[in-house]
């Protein structure tokens, strides 16, 4: 994870400076943006491994900014916000966030969450078996999953917009079709064995993934809940 470049979107300049200084000791390059315009300018100039976002920088646009980062730009996002009740955390996850922390978070905890998110982004590649590693595409019911670029295409060839977390979850199911996967195994595969994510995050990601697949035209149950056991991707998958 050394020298990963992070973008912190927050209008508290003192906190930006403090976090940049703290994280630099751990090999992270931290840059800040205090407005949506500065955020988009930074994104146009650099590639970032992760974004820490306080939606309060633009109260009327906070949800849209999170969707833009997580869904449109497919960046892992940690929401760092003073609005951190259970409903707020669930809403952030449903909008595509990888994690959500109450502000002001302990810098060491924020660093641990960043590390967990970055490990999770790399985890599926580390867990793939030889058969999965050998293929770059997988297909089911006329749909195609590009395992290399992280894209899903419907039978007409139209790309379906998925957040990074949603795609990683789909990838796990596609690599293990018609197998029952319990919540712990999904957490391990999606976020990494040492994840700090809580079980509810998988439920939220799964709900979003099911909803998007259904809205994009995939009929019938795709991921079935097996009571007291876990979840199963019901379709056969071919290379």
């Amino acid at each position: 994870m050394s020298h990963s470049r992070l973008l912190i979107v927050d209008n508290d300049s003192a906190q930006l400076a403090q976090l940049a200084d703290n994280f630099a000791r751990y090999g992270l390059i931290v840059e800040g943006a205090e407005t949506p315009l500065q955020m988009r300018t930074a994104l146009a100039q650099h590639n970032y491994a992760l974004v820490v976002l306080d939606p309060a920088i633009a109260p009327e646009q906070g949800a849209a900014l999170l969707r833009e980062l997580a869904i449109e730009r497919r960046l892992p996002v940690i929401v760092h916000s003073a609005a951190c009740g259970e409903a707020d955390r669930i809403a952030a996850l449903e909008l595509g966030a990888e994690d959500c922390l109450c502000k002001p978070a302990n810098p060491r905890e924020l660093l641990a969450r960043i590390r967990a998110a970055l490990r999770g982004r790399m985890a599926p590649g580390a867990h793939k078996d030889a058969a999965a590693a050998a293929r770059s595409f997988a297909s089911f019911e006329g749909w195609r999953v590009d395992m290399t670029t992280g894209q899903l295409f419907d039978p007409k060839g139209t790309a379906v917009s998925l957040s990074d977390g949603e795609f990683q979850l789909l990838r796990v199911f596609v690599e293990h079709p018609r197998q029952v996967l319990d919540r712990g195994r999904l957490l391990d595969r999606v976020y990494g064995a040492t994840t700090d994510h809580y079980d509810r995050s998988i439920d939220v990601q799964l709900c979003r993934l099911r909803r998007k697949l259904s809205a994009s035209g995939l009929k019938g149950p795709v991921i079935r809940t097996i009571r007291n056991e876990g979840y199963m991707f019901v379709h056969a998958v071919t290379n």
Side-chain angles (χ1 to χ4, degrees), residues 28 110 162 167 188 199 202:
L28 298 172
L110 180 55
L162 298 177
F167 179 80
D188 182 8
D199 285 2
I202 280 291

Side-chain angles (χ1 to χ4, degrees), residues 55-96:
I57 66 160
E60 301 300 320
Q61 304 175 47
L65 290 175
L66 177 52
R67 281 196 299 268
E68 176 184 341
L69 291 166
I71 305 300
E72 297 174 21
R73 297 180 183 269
R74 291 183 50 78
L75 285 166
V77 180
I78 293 178
V79 170
H80 184 211
S81 172
C84 59
E86 182 179 15
D88 299 302
R89 295 197 305 272
I90 291 173
L93 290 168
E94 289 180 336
L95 288 168

Side-chain angles (χ1 to χ4, degrees), residues 89-90 93 99-100 113 187 196-202:
R89 295 197 305 272
I90 291 173
L93 290 168
D99 207 343
C100 187
R113 299 296 183 99
L187 281 166
D196 294 320
H197 284 69
Y198 49 95
D199 285 2
R200 177 67 173 162
S201 64
I202 280 291

Side-chain angles (χ1 to χ4, degrees), residues 39-69:
M39 179 193 83
R40 294 185 180 105
T41 300
L43 290 168
Q45 294 174 343
H46 300 288
N47 293 321
Y48 293 95
L50 181 143
V51 178
V52 178
L53 170 69
D54 181 358
I57 66 160
E60 301 300 320
Q61 304 175 47
L65 290 175
L66 177 52
R67 281 196 299 268
E68 176 184 341
L69 291 166

Side-chain angles (χ1 to χ4, degrees), residues 11 25 28 48 50 55-56 74 80 85 91 109 127-128 134 148 164 172-173 181-182 197-198 200 203 205 221 224 226:
N11 56 13
R25 302 172 192 172
L28 298 172
Y48 293 95
L50 181 143
R74 291 183 50 78
H80 184 211
E109 181 180 4
H127 287 292
K128 288 188 295 183
T148 304
D164 184 70
V172 174
F173 281 118
L181 304 175
D182 63 31
H197 284 69
Y198 49 95
R200 177 67 173 162
D203 295 334
Q205 296 272 26
R224 181 172 296 157
I226 309 300

Side-chain angles (χ1 to χ4, degrees), residues 164-177:
D164 184 70
E166 292 160 2
F167 179 80
Q168 301 300 357
L169 183 58
L170 175 63
R171 180 176 195 149
V172 174
F173 281 118
V174 167
E175 289 177 350
H176 302 84

